[in-house]
Every structure is written in structure tokens, then in C-alpha cells.
């Protein structure tokens, strides 16, 4: 096992920390009804279908048991982001009710539940820790975090150089006497963010904060493409930095059309100067592939998983009186 490394710091005003795939924050609705933003899905029909989804509450004297037996959602009383028409779900729920003779019903809510409220419901259900779902993705959170302090985010590597675990030291002077499984965090963008969820309402994922953007490309045919379009070489990648948004978008369109026409093997990335860009830029050059930045007055920490995509377990380590000592993300269990 390698030495422990510091990835950055986090702080919180709310006393809560959320572990979430940074790449999915473009879908985060915070205190608004969840709606799929324009440009995420391939066409308007799929976007309309996603935005017609409903949230369902399970009610009745046996509601919690029915939800657990149904085993669709971490929170037994809520089913999020379900199709507006859901005959298979209705049939499965009816079978659970009949088999176990339960007093429970499914009620479609008149409005979908905002993501920040879903998180609050999870914390209430899990007595200070829990898993939430949004658009089919999992994120996990814990409460009881010291407020107004910079807390170290540290990692421990395997011999392969991948992270074995990453953890937040909430009360480093206390002895850990027990640990509890919190939930899962799903990753499709190879990166995670640890943040106070209250400040995520200020997060601007794809919106440039200064009206400027970068356009970068790489791959087998990237050097050839760079020579044709006089792009700048940047440590094995090519492109242009700090352009006005319109100019960066125009270059992206032109180069994408060219590489498609000539079937060039090139990957590319249009990067508006958003909060996502603001945290990913130092992450990409850091030796720990991590960075902390200020968002709305608190420190948030972003890091690459080193495992790519996957589903990882979140735990909380507790002291003798039940206080939170560490928030811990396990990438591979070690005996």
C-alpha cells in the first residue's frame, strides 16, 4: 500500500457532504422540478419522453415494507423518474401487494421532486446518511459534517496506482469504532465531486462564466488535423484556448465536419469556461488528478476515480458517540 496523499479540501455550511459524478451535474435541478436540459439527449423526442416522467409515492400502513419488497428505489417510499405509463411497474407492485397481503398504494405526485429535496428525504430515511437517485444515477450523502472548516480529502493507492479509497477527514483526532454502509455512487464520466449540496444551486455546468471557451482534440489523426487548421499543440493534445464562445463553437463545427467527412480518428472536447471547466482544468494537470475550488463560498473537491466508470460504495466511519469521523469512498475492498 502506498502512502496516503492529499487530494484537496472541502468545507460545508449545511453540515452535509454529497458524493456525485461531476459530469452529471448538468442534470442537477437543485430546488427546481427535474427537467432534462436541451442538448443532452440525441433528439427532441427523447427529451420530451424524459421530461414526461413522473415521481411516485408509496402510501398506506404497509408502504415501507411494500417499497422494500419492490426493491426498485433505495428510498422505499419513493420511485423517481418513472415513465408516465408504467404497466410493468403496476403489475409488479400488484404482485408484491397480493403475495404479502399488504396495505399499500402507488400515488403519482402532481409535481416531480427536486434533486435537493430527494437528498433531504434520503438523509431523513437513513438517519443522517443515504443514497439518492436522479435520472437513473446514484449519489450518496452524509450529514453531521463539521461546518465552516476546511476538511482534508485524502486518498490511499493500490500497488497499481489506482485509488483503493478516498476519504474526507471530518474529525481526524477521533478513533473510529464502527462503520456503516451509506449507499452507491454511479460514475459515467470517470470523475467524482465531493461538495456541500446547498451550493450546487450555483453550479453552472455548461454555461460559460466569462463568455469564453476552449476547444481541444486528440487521437491518431489529431496532428494531421492540427497541421491543416493551424491548431496549437498542448502536451499531446491540440486546439485553442480562451476563445470567445462563438469562435470556439465555429472551430468545433468546422473541425467536426472535416473529421467526419474524411473519417479521421480524433476525439474532441468543447469546454466553455463553466464551473465544470473551472474544476477540471486544474484536475487535468494535478499529479493527484484532483483539485479544490471555491463555489459560493465553500470549498469543493473534484478528482478522477483512476478506475474510469463504475459503481462505487460510500461508507461513514463513526466515533464512540456516533459522531462522523470520516466519509469514505471505496474503489476496491482490501482485506
Amino acid at each position: 500500500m502506498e502512502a496516503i496523499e492529499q487530494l484537496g479540501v472541502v468545507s460545508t455550511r449545511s453540515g452535509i457532504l454529497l458524493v456525485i459524478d461531476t459530469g452529471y451535474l448538468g442534470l442537477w435541478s437543485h430546488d427546481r422540478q427535474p427537467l432534462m436540459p436541451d442538448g443532452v439527449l440525441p433528439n427532441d423526442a427523447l427529451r420530451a419522453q424524459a421530461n414526461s416522467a413522473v415521481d411516485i409515492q408509496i402510501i398506506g400502513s404497509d408502504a415501507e415494507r411494500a417499497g422494500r419488497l419492490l426493491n426498485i428505489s433505495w428510498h422505499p417510499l419513493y420511485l423517481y423518474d418513472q415513465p408516465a405509463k408504467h404497466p410493468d411497474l403496476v403489475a409488479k407492485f400488484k404482485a408484491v401487494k397480493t403475495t404479502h397481503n399488504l396495505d399499500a398504494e402507488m400515488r403519482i405526485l402532481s409535481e416531480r421532486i427536486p434533486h435537493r429535496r430527494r437528498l433531504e428525504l434520503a438523509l431523513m430515511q437513513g438517519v443522517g446518511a443515504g443514497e439518492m437517485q436522479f435520472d437513473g444515477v446514484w449519489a450518496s450523502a452524509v450529514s453531521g459534517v463539521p461546518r465552516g472548516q476546511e476538511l482534508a480529502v485524502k486518498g490511499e493507492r493500490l500497488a497499481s496506482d489506482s485509488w483503493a479509497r478516498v476519504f474526507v477527514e471530518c474529525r481526524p483526532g477521533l478513533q473510529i469504532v464502527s462503520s456503516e454502509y451509506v449507499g452507491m455512487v454511479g460514475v459515467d464520466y470517470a470523475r467524482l465531486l465531493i461538495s456541500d449540496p446547498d451550493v450546487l444551486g450555483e453550479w453552472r455546468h455548461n454555461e460559460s462564466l466569462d463568455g469564453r471557451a476552449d476547444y481541444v482534440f486528440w487521437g491518431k489523426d489529431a496532428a494531421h488535423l492540427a497541421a491543416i487548421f493551424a491548431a496549437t499543440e498542448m502536451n499531446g493534445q491540440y486546439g485553442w484556448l480562451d476563445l470567445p464562445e462563438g469562435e470556439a463553437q465555429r472551430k468545433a463545427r468546422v473541425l467536426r465536419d472535416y473529421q467526419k467527412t474524411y473519417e479521421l480518428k480524433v476525439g474532441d472536447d468543447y469546454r466553455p469556461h463553466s464551473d465544470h471547466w473551472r474544476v477540471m482544468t486544474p484536475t487535468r494537470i494535478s499529479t493527484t488528478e484532483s483539485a479544490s475550488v471555491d463555489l459560493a463560498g465553500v470549498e469543493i473537491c473534484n478528482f478522477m476515480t483512476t478506475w474510469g466508470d463504475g459503481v462505487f460504495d460510500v461508507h461513514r466511519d463513526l466515533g464512540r458517540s456516533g459522531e462522523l469521523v470520516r466519509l469514505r469512498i471505496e474503489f476496491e475492498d482490501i482485506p
Side-chain angles (χ1 to χ4, degrees), residues 258-314:
Y258 187 92
Q259 69 188 66
K260 183 177 180 181
T261 300
Y262 293 98
E263 299 181 346
L264 301 181
K265 297 187 185 320
V266 176
D268 71 337
D269 202 5
Y270 170 72
R271 301 171 180 169
H273 289 188
S274 62
D275 285 313
H276 191 206
W277 171 88
R278 196 164 62 89
V279 76
M280 281 302 301
T281 298
T283 296
R284 289 185 175 103
I285 61 174
S286 166
T287 56
T288 53
E289 294 186 295
S290 63
S292 290
V293 300
D294 179 282
L295 178 65
V298 304
E299 292 291 320
I300 62 176
C301 184
N302 178 72
F303 65 95
M304 307 305 291
T305 69
T306 67
W307 292 86
D309 302 336
V311 179
F312 307 105
D313 290 339
V314 178

Side-chain angles (χ1 to χ4, degrees), residues 215-217 226 230-234 237-241 243 251 255:
Y215 178 64
V216 179
F217 57 94
T232 301
E233 193 274 333
M234 299 172 284
Q237 297 184 341
Y238 303 86
W240 298 269
L241 303 180
L243 297 176
K251 286 184 180 294
L255 268 71

Side-chain angles (χ1 to χ4, degrees), residues 58 62-72 89-104:
I58 301 177
D62 298 320
E64 185 158 340
R65 187 176 178 216
R68 294 195 186 284
L69 289 168
L70 194 61
N71 196 30
I72 290 177
L89 175 59
V90 170
K92 185 175 181 181
F93 186 76
K94 184 177 179 180
V96 166
K97 277 181 54 179
T98 302
T99 301
H100 299 277
N101 191 28
L102 301 178
D103 171 32

Side-chain angles (χ1 to χ4, degrees), residues 170-187:
C170 298
R171 293 178 175 87
L174 293 185
Q175 180 184 6
I176 295 169
V177 299
S178 66
S179 297
E180 295 178 357
Y181 173 70
V182 172
M184 300 183 297
V185 57
V187 179

Side-chain angles (χ1 to χ4, degrees), residues 120-287:
E120 197 63 40
L121 290 169
L123 292 173
M124 292 167 61
Q125 179 67 25
V127 193
E131 176 188 300
M132 63 161 289
Q133 292 170 303
F134 67 106
D135 296 295
V137 186
W138 306 283
S140 288
V142 298
S143 61
V145 182
R147 304 170 192 242
Q149 302 178 31
E150 285 196 350
L151 308 172
V153 180
K154 297 183 177 181
E156 193 174 1
R157 294 188 190 270
L158 295 165
S160 65
D161 209 36
S162 297
W163 294 122
R165 59 185 57 86
V166 168
F167 52 90
V168 181
E169 290 194 326
C170 298
R171 293 178 175 87
L174 293 185
Q175 180 184 6
I176 295 169
V177 299
S178 66
S179 297
E180 295 178 357
Y181 173 70
V182 172
M184 300 183 297
V185 57
V187 179
D188 285 325
Y189 290 89
R191 63 202 65 162
L192 282 170
L193 188 78
I194 304 174
S195 173
D196 182 332
D198 279 4
V199 303
L200 293 182
E202 302 297 321
W203 179 269
R204 298 295 177 263
H205 194 72
N206 293 314
E207 176 187 338
S208 179
L209 302 172
D210 61 2
R212 305 184 77 80
D214 305 340
Y215 178 64
V216 179
F217 57 94
W218 60 89
K220 179 182 176 182
D221 296 322
H224 170 68
L225 194 63
I228 293 171
F229 289 95
T232 301
E233 193 274 333
M234 299 172 284
N235 297 319
Q237 297 184 341
Y238 303 86
W240 298 269
L241 303 180
D242 200 31
L243 297 176
E245 273 190 288
E247 185 177 349
Q249 291 167 356
R250 183 186 64 79
K251 286 184 180 294
R253 286 194 300 270
V254 170
L255 268 71
R256 286 169 179 171
D257 287 344
Y258 187 92
Q259 69 188 66
K260 183 177 180 181
T261 300
Y262 293 98
E263 299 181 346
L264 301 181
K265 297 187 185 320
V266 176
D268 71 337
D269 202 5
Y270 170 72
R271 301 171 180 169
H273 289 188
S274 62
D275 285 313
H276 191 206
W277 171 88
R278 196 164 62 89
V279 76
M280 281 302 301
T281 298
T283 296
R284 289 185 175 103
I285 61 174
S286 166
T287 56

